[in-house]
Amino acid sequence: MCKRPDAPDNVSSRPFYARVLAGNSKLVGHWLMLGQADPDRLAMILADTARIAKLGEPESTPDGATLTHWSGDARPPRWAARTALFLLVQMPAKPLPRDEDEACAWAYCWLHNRDFEAFETARDSLPEHLRDRLSAPLAEAWQDFRGLRLV
């Protein structure tokens, strides 16, 4: 399960995909917090990277207020969370998910950002600093991903 031993029981009682959805806004917020630019510029970088890296096709480039809104209670588009992960894993600071919901979103996006034939390949391709932290969430994401749930 995507749960730490010290986490409250209600964290793991929610379905995996519900935790991913809750974590997506935290993932975008992590990019907003660690990105070294103002929110408008970070929103532009996010959208341009999504297009270039083929992680999604934003209809338009969001502004900083939209990015800030997505990092709160709003549900960001899937491309935004996927691209935030893509950018965060490349940062020299080697950020880690800040809580279990965010870890679930990181694992889910990791699997959807690349094409993996086997779980072991997905796990072994994680940056070393993420392997322990994402071990359980990635296993759960793999099970969810292979379940071919329609979203």
Side-chain angles (χ1 to χ4, degrees), residues 9-77:
D9 286 336
N10 65 347
V11 171
S12 65
S13 66
R14 292 182 296 144
F16 175 76
Y17 194 67
R19 289 179 279 154
V20 169
L21 293 177
N24 280 344
S25 61
K26 296 174 182 185
L27 179 52
V28 170
H30 209 145
W31 164 244
L32 184 61
M33 181 180 73
L34 294 180
Q36 296 182 346
D38 65 80
D40 284 329
R41 178 103 171 105
L42 292 173
M44 183 188 70
I45 292 168
L46 196 70
D48 288 348
T49 302
R51 292 179 187 108
I52 291 167
K54 299 191 184 328
L55 298 171
E57 281 296 325
E59 291 179 21
S60 61
T61 299
D63 59 18
T66 301
L67 185 64
T68 301
H69 181 66
W70 289 344
S71 71
D73 292 331
R75 184 179 295 175

Side-chain angles (χ1 to χ4, degrees), residues 4-148:
R4 279 189 157 146
D6 59 340
D9 286 336
N10 65 347
V11 171
S12 65
S13 66
R14 292 182 296 144
F16 175 76
Y17 194 67
R19 289 179 279 154
V20 169
L21 293 177
N24 280 344
S25 61
K26 296 174 182 185
L27 179 52
V28 170
H30 209 145
W31 164 244
L32 184 61
M33 181 180 73
L34 294 180
Q36 296 182 346
D38 65 80
D40 284 329
R41 178 103 171 105
L42 292 173
M44 183 188 70
I45 292 168
L46 196 70
D48 288 348
T49 302
R51 292 179 187 108
I52 291 167
K54 299 191 184 328
L55 298 171
E57 281 296 325
E59 291 179 21
S60 61
T61 299
D63 59 18
T66 301
L67 185 64
T68 301
H69 181 66
W70 289 344
S71 71
D73 292 331
R75 184 179 295 175
R78 199 182 220 177
W79 67 262
R82 290 179 61 194
T83 307
L85 175 71
F86 178 84
L87 293 164
L88 286 169
V89 298
Q90 296 180 57
M91 289 184 155
K94 298 180 179 178
L96 296 169
R98 297 168 291 172
D99 66 22
E100 293 308 308
D101 286 344
E102 189 177 342
C104 291
W106 283 51
Y108 183 86
C109 290
W110 182 257
L111 292 181
H112 287 270
N113 280 359
R114 299 170 72 187
D115 188 23
F116 298 106
E117 293 296 320
F119 170 76
E120 294 76 18
T121 308
R123 182 195 60 220
D124 295 347
S125 68
L126 280 167
E128 182 134 357
H129 73 281
L130 290 172
R131 287 186 188 152
D132 284 344
R133 181 67 176 97
L134 293 184
S135 176
L138 191 65
E140 214 170 338
W142 183 262
Q143 184 178 26
D144 180 84
F145 181 67
R146 288 299 173 203
L148 301 176

